[in-house]
Amino acid sequence: MSTAAASETLDTLTIGRRIRALRTARGLTLDDLAGTVGRAPSQLSMIETGKREPKLSQLQAIARALGVSIDALLENEPLDERSAIEVALERAMSGQTFASLGIPPFRIAKSVPTEALRAMLALHGEIDRLRDERAATPEEARRANVELRDLMRRQDNHFEDLEQKASEILAAIAHPGGPLTQRAASEIAAYLGFTLHYASDLPQTTRSVADLSNGRLYLSSQVSAKGDARTAVLQALSSRILGHAEPRSYAEFLRQRVETNYLTGALLIPEAHVVPVLKDAKQRRAISIEDLRDAYSVSYETAAHRFTNLATRHLDIPVHFLKVHESGTITKAYENDDVNFPTDRLGAIEGQMCCRRWTSRVVFDEDDRFNPYYQYTDTGNGTYWCTARVEASSEGLHSVSVGVRFDDTRWFVGRDTPNRGISTHSVEVCCRRAPADLEARWRDNSWPNVKTPRTLLATLPTGAFPGVDTTDVYEFLEAHAPS
């Protein structure tokens, strides 16, 4: 239900309850009031229960019959406790939770104790909370990730509406193109009505906190040496630009995060400015993720992500992207070039082990971390070329790689690499199972002590914003709000 619809429902219910309260206070029955205003009792009952929106002429007649002004029926004063509880329960009965449980709405009779209505509302709230928890299980998260990746593939990872939003914001601050400076990021914040404040006590589970009532954006004053001050600002502002509301499911939370990261990349590397640069590089057969990174002063991962947004739409080059933890676990993935990544039974790539022979794993064995690593890999689905780098993060080392089919390699710097590999990474025996003789010798003679990731056996963090301690956030805002 939209905000406008919810507000309209609340108004209708509130008016109806106010009419009922005034009628009963005057000792009138439904038949008495209906006869006075010249309406059928059933029609008046529907108005009192909020099921019919009364016309102005009907409200005027009802107000006269009750001896009050029409303003008394429309005032914003709170209802009495019983009426307020009834309105809240009526709204709950018209929502998704009751419908999903197959519970039909019922008439709230005067004989139902107020305590019983309170209990129903409390149970409704608890069911909603449990549904939120269930939506954050690893299986639901993987399903949501698969659906989102399918959408990205269908659109070639290009979102026209987000590109337009970025263009509008950059035009509003008269950005001339090229790298976005920190000053320009501050100008975007000011344009959106926010002042920037740096705090040493930002809640540990957050990157930033926006005080919407006072127009203040709080960021950590402890920016790491490799951190980009612009990114934290733009990610926080992107949610406001896109009008994100509190996510109602993990899928919506995930979609919002993807949109936020996409818009941030589109602001840092504007489409209108970079597409001619990329087309020129293609014409010169000199496309390079490193050059894109350096030209716009962004991280390698941001440059790689942004390239996937634009490569197919503007350069007619299908691509794939991988981010792999040093443990071999795939943490991010995108493809529209038919590369056959390993998946689980739900189709999820994230969380799977990347092949040891794939560029994203081989790069960890390279001593040279200054230059990119290039490799051709033969698969059962054709030959692919990839460029990869290793970057450090708070969670350890990650490799970030971008790859294309063999026929598209001619457009890229690094196509002359002698590095080659063979991978059937979608087949378990490729490298996810030990060679038969090795397994026969050691399977019954080994017992490793597993270093289990914390999230493997647990559900994902719960709440509207998974992983965020909302109590910390509210206490932080309370402490820093202007007096």
Side-chain angles (χ1 to χ4, degrees):
M1 182 182 294
S2 67
T3 303
S7 177
E8 183 179 344
T9 300
L10 177 60
D11 290 343
T12 304
L13 286 171
T14 303
I15 292 170
R17 288 302 184 280
R18 189 162 279 123
I19 291 172
R20 177 188 290 177
L22 290 169
R23 174 176 62 76
T24 55
R26 285 155 177 73
L28 297 174
T29 66
L30 200 58
D31 288 341
D32 293 336
L33 183 58
T36 304
V37 299
R39 295 287 172 183
S42 60
Q43 292 179 332
L44 197 58
S45 177
M46 293 182 72
I47 290 175
E48 287 192 352
T49 57
K51 296 177 181 177
R52 173 177 291 182
E53 184 177 359
K55 297 179 181 178
L56 180 60
S57 59
Q58 292 174 330
L59 285 177
Q60 290 171 335
I62 292 170
R64 285 195 299 270
L66 296 174
V68 298
S69 67
I70 193 171
D71 290 338
L73 302 181
L74 301 176
E75 66 184 356
N76 292 323
E77 290 297 317
L79 294 167
D80 61 270
E81 182 188 12
R82 168 74 185 206
S83 296
I85 292 175
E86 289 184 3
V87 168
L89 189 55
E90 287 274 3
R91 292 188 69 198
M93 287 192 289
S94 65
Q96 293 181 348
T97 300
F98 270 70
S100 65
L101 295 173
I103 302 175
F106 56 86
R107 178 178 173 274
I108 303 175
K110 289 188 292 183
S111 59
V112 180
T114 301
E115 290 77 15
L117 299 182
R118 284 200 197 96
M120 291 181 197
L121 278 176
L123 287 171
H124 174 266
E126 183 65 6
I127 291 170
D128 273 350
R129 186 186 70 80
L130 291 173
R131 289 180 70 198
D132 286 342
E133 280 194 5
R134 185 178 64 186
T137 61
E139 181 169 330
E140 290 299 319
R142 291 198 298 273
R143 288 186 190 277
N145 222 11
V146 170
E147 292 173 1
L148 184 56
R149 195 178 69 249
D150 288 344
L151 172 65
M152 294 162 68
R153 187 189 297 113
R154 290 195 302 271
Q155 298 186 179
D156 293 325
N157 205 21
H158 186 273
F159 291 80
E160 191 67 41
D161 56 332
L162 300 182
E163 298 288 357
Q164 181 61 34
K165 285 284 187 183
S167 178
E168 291 170 0
I169 292 296
L170 293 172
I173 65 165
H175 180 59
L180 192 79
T181 63
Q182 284 190 222
R183 178 178 178 181
S186 297
E187 289 173 351
I188 292 175
Y191 171 74
L192 296 173
F194 284 91
T195 54
L196 303 181
H197 303 266
Y198 291 86
S200 59
D201 59 340
L202 196 73
Q204 291 186 350
T205 55
T206 64
R207 296 175 181 173
S208 64
V209 176
D211 178 347
L212 304 182
S213 60
N214 294 297
R216 296 160 71 94
L217 180 60
Y218 295 99
L219 303 124
S220 175
S221 59
Q222 301 172 355
V223 180
S224 64
K226 290 190 175 184
D228 186 340
R230 300 169 303 167
T231 300
V233 173
L234 295 176
Q235 285 179 334
L237 296 175
S238 291
S239 292
R240 311 321 315 155
I241 295 170
L242 296 171
H244 285 161
E246 182 177 299
R248 294 164 295 182
S249 65
Y250 187 81
E252 187 173 352
F253 165 78
L254 190 61
R255 173 66 184 262
Q256 288 183 0
R257 189 174 68 173
V258 168
E259 290 178 344
T260 295
N261 290 337
Y262 190 111
L263 184 56
T264 298
L267 290 168
L268 289 169
I269 306 179
E271 181 179 40
H273 186 270
V274 73
V275 167
V277 174
L278 289 174
K279 287 184 175 179
D280 176 68
K282 181 183 179 183
Q283 187 175 15
R284 294 185 290 106
R285 302 190 176 213
I287 296 176
S288 166
I289 305 301
E290 285 73 22
D291 289 351
L292 190 61
R293 174 201 62 189
D294 296 342
Y296 291 89
S297 302
V298 295
S299 69
Y300 185 83
E301 184 175 351
T302 296
H305 266 302
R306 192 65 179 131
F307 182 74
T308 68
N309 299 151
L310 306 170
T312 307
R313 178 62 60 93
H314 293 289
L315 305 178
D316 196 30
I317 302 176
V319 294
H320 66 262
F321 167 92
L322 271 184
K323 183 175 181 180
V324 176
H325 186 257
E326 59 185 325
S327 64
T329 306
I330 299 173
T331 59
K332 291 183 182 179
Y334 166 75
E335 50 79 22
N336 71 343
D337 59 356
D338 298 323
V339 67
N340 195 9
F341 288 138
T343 64
D344 64 11
R345 62 182 181 83
L346 299 174
I349 298 173
E350 291 78 6
Q352 299 301 297
M353 293 298 292
C354 182
C355 177
R356 293 174 180 273
R357 303 181 182 96
W358 194 254
T359 312
S360 306
R361 290 288 298 278
V362 176
V363 67
F364 285 109
D365 297 326
E366 294 296 309
D367 294 329
D368 182 1
R369 296 289 169 85
F370 184 77
N371 294 300
Y373 175 74
Y374 308 112
Q375 178 178 305
Y376 287 97
T377 308
D378 298 324
T379 76
N381 209 33
T383 298
Y384 290 85
W385 171 93
C386 301
T387 173
R389 273 193 175 277
V390 173
E391 295 187 324
S393 72
S394 59
E395 299 173 350
L397 297 178
H398 282 86
S399 70
V400 175
S401 63
V402 172
V404 297
R405 294 182 298 212
F406 180 83
D407 289 345
D408 289 315
T409 306
R410 64 186 184 276
W411 312 118
F412 290 82
V413 171
R415 60 186 175 273
D416 55 352
T417 178
N419 300 322
R420 300 194 75 92
I422 300 175
S423 170
T424 52
H425 51 280
S426 63
V427 180
E428 185 177 0
V429 295
C430 172
C431 65
R432 285 179 283 167
R433 283 187 59 181
D437 57 341
L438 199 61
E439 183 176 19
R441 185 159 58 249
W442 288 108
R443 180 164 185 168
D444 296 330
N445 296 298
S446 65
W447 190 267
N449 185 16
V450 181
K451 183 180 179 181
T452 307
R454 179 183 61 83
T455 56
L456 183 61
L457 302 178
T459 60
L460 292 173
T462 60
F465 299 94
V468 173
D469 187 327
T470 52
T471 301
D472 280 354
V473 172
Y474 300 154
E475 289 177 346
F476 171 85
L477 289 173
E478 186 68 23
H480 287 268
S483 56

